Amino acid sequence: MPELPEVETIRRLLGPQLTGKRIAAVRFGAKRVTMHPGPAGVRRQLLGAAISKMGRRGKYLVFRLSNGRDLVLHLGMSGQVRRFGNVPMQPHEHMRLEFSDGETISFVDARRFGRVCVTDVGAVPRAIRGMARMGLEPVEKGYSAAYLGERLSGRRARVKTLLLDQRVACGVGNIYSDEALHRARIRPDRRAGSLKSPEVSRLAAALGDVLTDGIRWCGTTMRDGGYRLVDGGAGSFQDRLRVYGREGERCRRRGCKGVVRRQRLGGRSAHFCPVCQR
DNA sequence: CGCATATCCTGACTGC
DNA sequence: TGCAGTCAGGATATGC
């Protein structure tokens, strides 16, 4: 479940380690993973290029290359960027970049919801249509109560469901949407259009705050270990979650005696405190 | 268009 | 202990 804070953590780790390095070899695993324009094309466009900058857009990791192209990586649910070194290809390892100085970096993804795409710099990857429609990130300047309000007003869908829409809250996924709604004291099953102006303001602020905190604590590594740092280490935001994954446990808001509940919403689980979230 | 639902995938977990 | 069944969810496709 790599969301914005997890991908940003990876970006920050990789930047100093990879910037300036030249790709000397590209290896692929045996299993198919969504890749544009296919393994041969990806290899051709990557070979010989240097990493000029590590970027990120929403949940997408963007390797800017010296040859005028971007390598765009989405980690899906279980994707990881890992360093294995010069060893045989590992289980679920789909792509390994070998740099001219011997450094390596690998894309690993057991569930294969992730995707790899090479495009011209700044172009919208054909294989990733949603990227063209992504909105502002809650941590960006310009993400305001007015901006969020525009996207929620008149909508009958549950607010939680809309927060998962990358046009509404780019970079937010299931964990951080639950945490933001808790901080804003709004129930996830509220109809988006029913939110009053102070609630929209609280939510816009909470979204930014929770993503910023997630980055500060290097992301959330749940028990399934789906998200890992490049060296295999864990983030630590899981210790600070207030509702996500805490069904049946006490609400973490000071003075609140509520017990966290879980509710199925749009095929996703929403965690919330029925006492302090209205 | 908006909204709900199904789909992909496999490791971890649950219950018998 | 082993095995079948269920769950997890990001993005997208499909149906109404």
Side-chain angles (χ1 to χ4, degrees):
Chain A
M1 298 141 257
E3 304 178 30
L4 187 152
E6 289 73 34
V7 179
E8 176 63 15
T9 300
I10 292 167
R11 185 195 73 78
R12 290 182 183 189
L13 288 171
L14 288 181
Q17 295 175 12
L18 299 186
T19 302
K21 299 200 174 180
R22 193 175 61 78
I23 300 170
V26 183
R27 303 181 61 187
F28 298 106
K31 289 204 172 177
R32 289 169 53 99
V33 64
T34 302
M35 195 170 289
H36 182 86
V42 166
R43 175 185 281 122
R44 187 172 61 248
Q45 300 194 66
L46 294 184
L47 274 181
I51 311 281
S52 54
K53 192 176 180 184
M54 288 300 306
R56 182 192 56 74
R57 176 87 174 98
K59 303 174 190 173
Y60 293 88
L61 192 58
V62 182
F63 300 66
R64 182 131 299 175
L65 305 175
S66 60
N67 64 2
R69 297 202 168 86
D70 282 335
L71 166 62
V72 180
L73 210 56
H74 194 289
L75 300 177
M77 278 200 36
S78 55
Q80 302 180 359
V81 178
R82 298 287 293 273
R83 178 187 298 101
F84 293 131
N86 222 336
V87 297
M89 291 291 279
Q90 301 293 299
H92 307 304
E93 183 178 359
H94 302 297
M95 186 175 73
R96 181 183 300 183
L97 305 183
E98 299 177 4
F99 297 92
S100 52
D101 66 348
E103 176 76 278
T104 71
I105 210 74
S106 299
F107 168 55
V108 185
D109 184 12
R111 277 172 240 185
R112 289 189 276 150
F113 282 14
R115 41 190 68 200
V116 176
C117 190
V118 182
T119 66
D120 294 335
V121 163
V124 175
R126 294 178 66 88
I128 309 176
R129 306 206 352 221
M131 220 170 158
R133 304 190 296 256
M134 286 195 304
L136 291 177
E137 301 176 1
V139 289
E140 270 182 298
K141 279 199 173 63
Y143 196 92
S144 60
Y147 178 90
L148 179 59
E150 265 178 43
R151 280 152 186 79
L152 299 185
S153 75
R155 304 288 298 271
R156 265 187 61 78
R158 316 281 182 176
V159 59
K160 153 88 176 180
T161 306
L162 281 193
L163 289 183
L164 297 176
D165 185 331
Q166 301 302 291
R167 294 166 291 189
V168 175
C170 181
V172 171
N174 212 36
I175 297 175
Y176 294 93
S177 57
D178 280 0
E179 293 296 306
L181 286 163
H182 180 262
R183 293 186 186 210
R185 308 197 305 279
I186 298 166
R187 280 178 64 113
D189 57 355
R190 286 275 301 280
R191 304 281 176 186
S194 79
L195 265 58
K196 305 292 180 223
S197 153
E199 293 176 319
V200 175
S201 296
R202 293 205 304 269
L203 184 52
L207 283 164
D209 290 348
V210 76
L211 293 178
T212 301
D213 283 353
I215 294 168
R216 175 174 304 134
W217 299 101
C218 297
T220 304
T221 301
M222 298 303 285
R223 249 151 50 99
D224 65 17
Y227 159 71
R228 292 270 162 199
L229 305 185
V230 177
D231 63 4
S236 52
F237 197 61
Q238 63 277 8
D239 302 329
R240 313 185 112 75
L241 295 176
R242 300 183 189 179
V243 284
Y244 184 85
R246 300 189 63 249
E247 182 184 18
E249 297 177 44
R250 277 280 298 277
C251 173
R252 275 190 157 164
R253 184 182 306 284
R254 272 174 64 87
C256 180
K257 293 190 164 34
V259 174
V260 176
R261 284 222 314 248
R262 190 164 67 118
Q263 183 184 11
R264 203 90 194 145
L265 236 43
R268 297 292 170 263
S269 55
H271 307 74
F272 67 101
C273 170
V275 174
C276 68
Q277 287 176 260
R278 300 293 178 178

